[in-house]
Amino acid sequence: MRVIAGKYKGARIASPRGEVRPTTDLVKGSLFSVLESRGAVENAACLDVFCGSGGIGIEALSRGADSCVFVDADTSNAAANLDKLKIDARLVRSDFRKALRLLKNDKFDLVFCDPPYKSGYADETLRLLFKYGMIKDGGIVIIEHSSANDLINIPENCIIDRRDFGASSYEIITRGDI
């Protein structure tokens, strides 16, 4: 895996071993093209839930985001990649439910969520983000999930874009009340 644009362009980052599906360069490129066209990345406060290697949050930081909090049950891969690139960022090693409860007073412009497929965690994460009011006005949540599993459309959200890439899809969501 590598960072595809910005300050850390070309930097190689290690991905976790085992049964993982790192976000491909094609998907990252598409996602950040959409986000940058909306002016959503520059100076953003980001949250990367189920961060794995930290690749998506690192890409956001490389492209001008101000900060990123990385959350995962095992943050060791993200920590190693951040250390390698000499990026100072907050890591929260915890179950996502506990981590969101811990961070509930923080507000984010961009939230990246890439939970294990078919786990139901995407919907649960989205509900908790809205319940705790963690999304800033105009903020965006990006959820990567299996193309075979659509998200439940809960009233608090509005899907503003969806892209499919074979077995993976991502949805760009904003609060429905703005």
Side-chain angles (χ1 to χ4, degrees):
M1 287 182 28
R2 67 187 175 94
V3 179
I4 59 175
K7 180 179 180 180
Y8 305 108
K9 179 179 179 176
R12 296 243 175 246
I13 54 175
S15 108
R17 290 212 161 107
E19 198 173 311
V20 296
R21 13 157 223 86
T23 303
T24 66
D25 287 355
L26 176 67
V27 174
K28 273 195 289 191
S30 171
L31 171 62
F32 280 96
S33 177
V34 171
L35 293 174
E36 288 179 320
S37 73
R38 298 178 63 84
V41 180
E42 191 72 27
N43 303 316
C46 303
L47 174 63
D48 189 352
V49 186
F50 306 99
C51 69
S53 68
I56 294 291
I58 290 170
E59 188 75 38
L61 291 167
S62 182
R63 293 172 183 246
D66 275 350
S67 63
C68 188
V69 177
F70 295 85
V71 171
D72 207 312
D74 179 1
T75 56
S76 60
N77 287 289
N81 287 322
L82 291 165
D83 188 51
K84 175 183 174 185
L85 297 172
K86 297 183 179 10
I87 297 172
D88 184 30
R90 183 172 179 193
L91 293 152
V92 179
R93 184 180 193 142
S94 177
D95 168 81
F96 75 98
R97 293 170 198 96
K98 290 178 186 172
L100 293 177
R101 223 176 10 256
L102 173 72
L103 297 167
K104 71 181 177 183
N105 294 321
D106 294 350
K107 305 281 186 214
F108 299 95
D109 298 296
L110 287 175
V111 177
F112 302 102
C113 178
D114 186 7
Y117 286 0
K118 300 179 184 176
S119 64
Y121 295 163
D123 288 328
E124 191 174 354
T125 302
L126 193 59
R127 282 192 203 102
L128 290 172
L129 290 166
F130 289 127
K131 175 183 174 182
Y132 296 144
M134 297 174 73
I135 311 303
K136 289 183 182 178
D137 288 346
I140 295 173
V141 180
I142 299 91
I143 300 200
E144 187 173 338
H145 58 90
S146 166
S147 297
N149 294 346
D150 288 336
L151 292 175
I152 297 169
N153 189 17
I154 58 175
E156 295 89 7
N157 75 42
C158 174
I159 297 170
I160 56 176
D161 202 345
R162 178 188 167 117
R163 303 283 169 102
D164 296 311
F165 298 88
S168 294
S169 296
Y170 70 77
E171 298 192 52
I172 299 176
I173 301 164
T174 188
R175 287 184 7 206
D177 60 348
I178 38 178

